[in-house]
Amino acid sequence: MRLVSGIKPTGGLTLGNYIGAIKQFVQLQDELKDAEMFIFIADLHAITTPIEKQTLKKNIKEIAALYIACGLDPERVTLFVQSELPEHNQLAYVMESTVYMGELERMTQFKDKRQKLEEGLRGSLFTYPALMAADILLYDADLVPVGEDQKQHLELTRDLAIRFNNLYGDTFVVPKGYQPKTGAKIKSLTEPTKKMDKSSDNQKSYILLLDDLAQIKNKIKSAVTDSDGHIAYDIENKPGISNLLTIDASLLSTTIEERVNFYKNVSYQDFKLSVAEHVIDALRPIQEKFNVLINDPKLDDILDQGRDKAKQIAYKKIQKVYKKIGFLR
Ligand code: TYM
């Protein structure tokens, strides 16, 4: 069993990234003792929209340190930086030659971003799902833990694997997605019908894993709720309260029902304070570990070793794919 996933270093990691992705990676690492895990920093994906060199460099390093601070064990998980393995680009081109324009045009993430960013839309933003498919198929991943917003890209990856296999014979494992039961889509604190997103202009809408703890408390205290005054889980009518319940249940590794019961006669104000406390309790130890790791030269060694290990698999896979296509004399 092999697991693959990645996060793009476009900004600080959010509580959504943690609950929807990293927390799952750590749980799967601990539960699936025999599984091989490849978790990478998807830096090639970060230049689909403009990003400054220094920011990108800083973000890459930060994600590496955060992966470990959140509980990934480099002894058991192969951690690496995507751009250090040209095989990702090589397979991405093959995937671009497997995917249809119509399929890329249907990707909701592309459609959303296109609306926001009319000028200077980069070609790579359009072809990005082909690169993502390559990231996954390169390692013959069986399972890909991602949040809900990546589900469509994963479906496309499966279609591309099947299409390529039909054209050239059995080559790729057709991967399955894996979503957490609770928290596959953490919502914005200010607009709880939308996804919590680090690219939002409103800093109060998201919590960053490296946010100052006092600031986190304030952000949760000012989270948008409703005027009903009753704590219940109802995404349609009470999206703000439901989102906070989801965050709370996920961080305490319990169910939403249990949380609803727990907060039965509690005021919104006290409820928010309690959720804030749980978020802070979860993030404090992560921040403490991060602060040590970020200045530790060991971090580079871990990424070097991860790259070398990933390379062994990636290189062989590209050779196989190229031969199937008719390349390589
Ligand atoms: P990215 O960097 O946008 O997000 C990283 C992971 O975090 C999840 N996520 C969320 N989960 C719950 N609630 C949210 N509000 C939330 N926001 C983000 C995402 O679903 C994702 O799992 N294209 C990918 C990165 C990538 C990748 C891959 C992932 C590149 N290649 C191969 C898996 C396999 C992306 O942009 O994720």
Side-chain angles (χ1 to χ4, degrees):
M1 164 86 100
R2 196 175 278 162
L3 279 83
V4 171
S5 199
I7 298 183
K8 65 177 188 288
T10 42
L13 294 194
T14 67
L15 191 63
N17 294 134
Y18 178 67
I19 292 177
I22 305 181
K23 192 167 179 283
Q24 308 308 311
F25 305 164
V26 176
Q27 216 168 320
L28 290 163
Q29 159 195 269
D30 296 338
E31 280 169 13
L32 305 174
K33 297 265 185 242
D34 298 327
E36 282 180 274
M37 280 183 83
F38 291 81
I39 303 291
F40 62 95
I41 297 152
D43 58 345
L44 292 172
H45 291 272
I47 61 165
T48 53
T49 49
I51 185 162
E52 274 195 35
K53 174 183 172 180
Q54 292 310 331
T55 311
L56 178 60
K57 274 178 145 339
K58 177 171 160 274
N59 291 350
I60 292 170
K61 208 174 154 195
E62 269 186 18
I63 297 193
L66 275 172
Y67 275 155
I68 302 169
C70 289
L72 287 180
D73 174 2
E75 298 281 319
R76 283 156 65 195
V77 177
T78 305
L79 298 173
F80 64 98
V81 182
Q82 180 195 31
S83 65
E84 294 174 13
L85 291 157
E87 288 82 358
H88 284 256
N89 305 70
Q90 289 178 297
L91 191 58
Y93 182 71
V94 173
M95 286 300 126
E96 280 175 30
S97 309
T98 307
V99 73
Y100 303 135
M101 294 281 284
E103 287 172 319
L104 293 174
E105 275 161 6
R106 275 199 295 278
M107 294 293 115
T108 49
Q109 235 183 29
F110 172 72
K111 288 198 278 192
D112 288 352
K113 286 201 178 156
R114 173 192 235 166
Q115 267 181 352
K116 280 190 211 148
L117 224 150
E118 268 165 26
E119 260 175 65
L121 206 63
R122 295 185 177 176
S124 57
L125 190 67
F126 184 62
T127 55
Y128 150 112
L131 175 59
M132 179 159 163
D135 298 337
I136 297 167
L137 301 181
L138 190 57
Y139 299 96
D140 282 323
D142 300 285
L143 210 63
V144 184
V146 282
E148 199 177 291
D149 61 335
Q150 295 299 325
K151 251 168 104 172
Q152 198 187 23
H153 293 156
L154 205 79
E155 278 306 310
L156 181 66
T157 302
R158 288 170 57 83
D159 291 344
L160 298 184
I162 293 168
R163 186 173 306 152
F164 191 97
N165 287 349
N166 286 338
L167 262 175
Y168 294 107
D170 209 14
T171 310
F172 296 118
V173 169
V174 181
K176 284 198 179 68
Y178 176 93
Q179 255 100 51
K181 280 194 201 78
T182 309
K185 190 171 183 179
I186 298 298
K187 308 290 171 53
S188 151
L189 296 178
T190 49
E191 287 174 279
T193 50
K194 296 193 179 147
K195 171 182 96 162
M196 182 182 284
D197 191 350
K198 57 194 162 201
S199 63
S200 159
D201 296 331
N202 185 355
Q203 287 191 18
K204 284 200 147 187
S205 72
Y206 54 76
I207 290 171
L208 296 178
L209 301 189
L210 297 176
D211 267 350
D212 175 72
L213 297 178
Q215 209 181 341
I216 292 178
K217 190 168 169 184
N218 283 331
K219 285 184 180 180
I220 295 179
K221 266 167 75 180
S222 60
V224 169
T225 52
D226 52 63
S227 53
D228 166 46
H230 176 62
I231 293 172
Y233 186 76
D234 178 346
I235 294 192
E236 292 260 305
N237 301 310
K238 300 170 71 64
I241 293 290
S242 302
N243 188 39
L244 293 175
L245 281 167
T246 305
I247 292 173
D248 207 49
S250 170
L251 294 180
L252 297 178
S253 298
T254 177
T255 60
I256 290 172
E257 297 79 68
E258 189 274 326
R259 287 289 89 191
V260 172
N261 240 335
F262 180 84
Y263 291 119
K264 219 168 2 193
N265 296 312
V266 173
S267 71
Y268 278 7
Q269 199 187 0
D270 289 345
F271 167 59
K272 283 177 167 179
L273 285 175
S274 172
V275 175
E277 208 177 286
H278 297 148
V279 174
I280 289 169
D281 284 348
L283 297 190
R284 186 185 288 113
I286 292 175
Q287 293 190 359
E288 283 169 1
K289 285 186 203 133
F290 172 87
N291 289 334
V292 176
L293 276 160
I294 196 72
N295 296 314
D296 189 341
K298 184 172 84 185
L299 200 59
D300 273 322
D301 298 337
I302 291 170
L303 294 175
D304 285 349
Q305 282 162 17
R307 176 200 57 216
D308 295 346
K309 203 164 163 214
K311 177 91 185 174
Q312 289 175 14
I313 295 168
Y315 178 78
K316 274 198 205 132
K317 193 76 197 178
I318 279 296
Q319 295 290 309
K320 185 173 171 185
V321 171
Y322 269 19
K323 276 190 191 145
K324 292 244 178 185
I325 294 173
F327 299 155
L328 301 181
R329 276 169 293 122

